[in-house]
């Protein structure tokens, strides 16, 4: 049995199978609804029921208060229809968003690399091609681990039957622990995707500033490769932050791209270089390096930020001081259980500014 859900104000209609959430059905049918955590704790996917019956599911009482439930509000990531419905959502989809439907894929591990002491590069071959926009992410189902884990795609979308992920080991993390310690070539896992609204706004002019920290390099790497392969002429600047030289991975790749393309500029920054690093480059925080590079005049650029919450927050402040405002800042913020996402390791939260 399935139910028909009409989404206002767009008028989109989706068919929701018995036991399926509204959000899952929408994404799998190419209909975008705003969301972040996907498990009922952040309230990003809050929508209003206009007609019909629904089971609100396991929505957190903090994300969906009793008063809101009485008013007919639900969280699309938890809500399961019990009849045909009409709902109203706050939908603001960017014109550059392709809206590829979410699907499930079988992924075989074909290569595992040590990118840094704490980050592994994992390469998969998919059972069929996945259409995605550079900057989006997938959910990975890991054996013996409850739920899924979210990882950004690092490869160029033109390699549609491949996936490259950059996985940082999270202390005590069941998912990343399995990937770092137990995963082997030949393993087959289920992935779903693509997800997210972190992508290059190709219709906009001006330069593109990418600020990445740690394994947050994955999305900017995909974006930059996509732009360069398509011969996009816009100026591009990658500011890659790492603690020390050992953590500054894929440096040779971006130095090579810098030499090959006049419109691409690579600026690596170490916050705490070690004595034997013999580092001659920039030191300090990556957002400060971007500010210094542009002499505080950042206006006229789009900014794409990817990394841990403290880096993202500091970069936003710097960008706004340099006259780059909300409409021109796009981000992918990684929040794990250690950052307060909840009890146990969960999928990263991907929040827009």
């Amino acid at each position: 049995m399935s139910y028909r859900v009409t989404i206002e104000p767009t008028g989109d209609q989706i068919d929701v199978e018995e036991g399926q959430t509204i959000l899952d059905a929408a994404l799998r049918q190419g209909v975008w609804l705003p969301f972040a955590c996907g498990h009922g704790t952040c309230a990003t996917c809050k929508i209003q029921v206009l007609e019909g019956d629904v089971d609100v599911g396991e929505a957190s009482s903090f994300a969906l208060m009793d008063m809101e439930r009485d008013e007919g509000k639900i969280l699309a990531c938890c809500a399961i229809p019990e009849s045909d419905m009409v709902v109203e959502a706050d939908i603001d989809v960017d014109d550059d968003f392709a809206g590829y439907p979410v699907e499930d894929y079988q992924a075989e591990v074909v290569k595992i690399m040590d990118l840094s002491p704490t980050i592994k590069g994992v390469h998969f071959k998919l059972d069929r091609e996945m259409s995605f926009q550079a900057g989006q992410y997938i959910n990975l189902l890991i054996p013996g681990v409850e739920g899924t884990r979210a990882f950004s795609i690092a490869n160029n979308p033109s390699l549609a039957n491949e996936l490259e992920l950059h996985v940082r080991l999270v202390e005590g993390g069941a998912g990343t622990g399995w990937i770092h310690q137990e995963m082997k070539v030949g393993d087959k896992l289920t992935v779903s995707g693509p997800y997210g609204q972190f992508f290059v706004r190709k219709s906009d002019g001006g330069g593109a500033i990418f600020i990445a920290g740690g394994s947050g390099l994955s999305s900017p790497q995909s974006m930059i490769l996509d732009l360069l392969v398509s011969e996009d002429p816009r100026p591009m600047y990658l500011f890659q932050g790492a603690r020390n030289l050992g953590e500054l991975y894929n440096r040779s790749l971006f130095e090579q791209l810098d030499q090959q393309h006049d419109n691409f500029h690579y600026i690596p920054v170490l916050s705490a270089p070690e004595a034997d690093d013999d580092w001659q480059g920039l030191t300090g925080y990556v957002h400060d390096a971007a500010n210094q590079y542009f002499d505080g005049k950042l206006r006229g650029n789009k900014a794409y930020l990817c990394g841990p919450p403290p880096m993202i927050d500091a970069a936003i402040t710097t960008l706004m001081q340099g006259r780059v405002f909300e409409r021109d800042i796009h981000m992918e913020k990684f929040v794990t259980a250690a950052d307060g996402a909840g009890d146990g390791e969960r999928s990263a939260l991907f929040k827009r500014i």
Side-chain angles (χ1 to χ4, degrees):
M1 177 183 293
S2 65
Y3 297 109
R4 177 65 56 88
V5 176
T6 302
I7 302 170
E8 299 293 357
T10 62
D12 289 317
Q13 293 187 326
I14 59 173
D15 292 318
V16 186
E17 298 299 324
E18 187 173 0
Q20 186 180 29
T21 68
I22 293 173
L23 177 63
D24 185 63
L27 295 179
R28 290 179 180 274
Q29 293 170 58
V31 176
W32 176 257
L33 290 176
F35 77 102
C37 73
H39 50 74
T41 61
C42 75
T44 304
C45 66
K46 191 176 296 180
I47 57 179
Q48 177 71 48
V49 175
L50 301 180
E51 297 177 17
D53 300 317
V54 63
D55 177 355
V56 298
E58 298 181 1
S60 162
S61 59
F62 296 99
L64 189 66
M65 296 182 291
D66 290 341
M67 179 181 65
E68 294 176 311
R69 297 170 193 241
D70 293 341
E71 293 172 348
K73 290 183 172 59
I74 58 175
L75 301 185
C77 70
C78 298
I80 299 173
E82 295 180 331
S83 71
D84 290 345
M85 297 180 64
V86 179
V87 299
E88 184 176 38
D90 183 12
I91 300 175
D92 182 19
V93 179
D94 195 286
D95 290 340
D96 285 316
F97 181 56
Y100 296 121
V102 170
E103 298 182 32
D104 295 322
Y105 301 82
Q106 290 301 304
E108 181 179 356
V109 180
V110 294
K111 183 166 62 174
I112 304 172
M113 304 171 57
D114 288 326
L115 297 177
S116 83
T118 62
I119 300 172
K120 285 191 180 292
V122 183
H123 295 250
F124 294 93
K125 182 177 180 181
L126 299 176
D127 59 349
R128 64 188 190 282
E129 292 189 347
M130 175 193 292
S131 296
F132 67 92
Q133 289 181 267
Q136 292 190 295
Y137 69 96
I138 56 91
N139 278 337
L140 182 66
L141 188 63
I142 299 173
V145 177
E146 182 182 359
T148 59
R149 299 296 183 268
F151 297 102
S152 299
I153 304 171
N155 54 285
N156 190 329
S158 64
L159 303 175
N161 66 337
E162 300 178 17
L163 280 182
E164 176 185 345
L165 310 179
H166 299 168
V167 182
R168 178 179 68 88
L169 180 62
V170 177
E171 184 176 356
T176 61
W178 187 89
I179 291 172
H180 274 251
Q181 298 156 14
E182 299 184 47
M183 176 181 278
K184 60 185 183 299
V185 171
D187 284 341
K188 295 182 179 180
L189 294 86
T190 299
V191 305
S192 62
Y195 296 96
Q197 288 227 305
F198 187 59
F199 52 86
V200 175
R201 274 56 182 177
K202 293 186 176 181
S203 64
D204 293 330
I209 297 173
F210 300 92
I211 300 178
S215 61
L217 179 66
S218 50
S219 289
Q221 175 175 303
S222 179
M223 293 168 157
I224 290 165
L225 292 174
D226 182 38
L227 289 169
L228 293 178
V229 166
S230 64
E231 299 183 349
D232 192 295
R234 78 187 66 203
M236 301 171 224
Y237 309 86
L238 171 60
F239 295 88
Q240 181 187 4
R243 183 171 179 79
N244 53 53
L245 192 59
E247 294 292 343
L248 190 72
Y249 72 94
N250 283 3
R251 177 186 176 190
S252 60
L253 166 65
F254 293 108
E255 287 179 337
Q256 184 178 20
L257 293 175
D258 191 319
Q259 295 174 358
Q260 293 174 342
H261 300 273
D262 292 338
N263 62 326
F264 175 68
H265 311 279
Y266 174 55
I267 306 95
V269 187
L270 299 185
S271 61
E274 298 178 356
D276 57 359
D277 285 342
D278 191 27
W279 179 248
Q280 304 298 317
L282 296 176
T283 59
Y285 293 118
V286 66
H287 61 278
D288 289 334
N291 190 52
Q292 293 167 14
Y293 186 91
F294 286 95
D295 194 25
K297 301 178 178 67
L298 297 157
R299 190 178 203 169
N301 294 290
K302 292 284 184 183
Y304 301 89
L305 318 177
C306 191
M311 186 214 80
I312 295 287
D313 295 341
I316 290 172
T317 299
T318 297
L319 288 163
M320 288 188 167
Q321 289 172 346
R323 311 298 291 176
V324 180
F325 298 116
E326 182 173 347
R327 66 181 180 276
D328 294 319
I329 301 175
H330 307 280
M331 70 176 184
E332 185 174 72
K333 180 185 290 190
F334 295 164
V335 184
T336 68
D339 301 307
D343 294 331
E345 186 188 7
R346 294 276 191 171
S347 298
L349 305 188
F350 293 80
K351 296 183 180 179
R352 283 286 306 279
I353 181 172

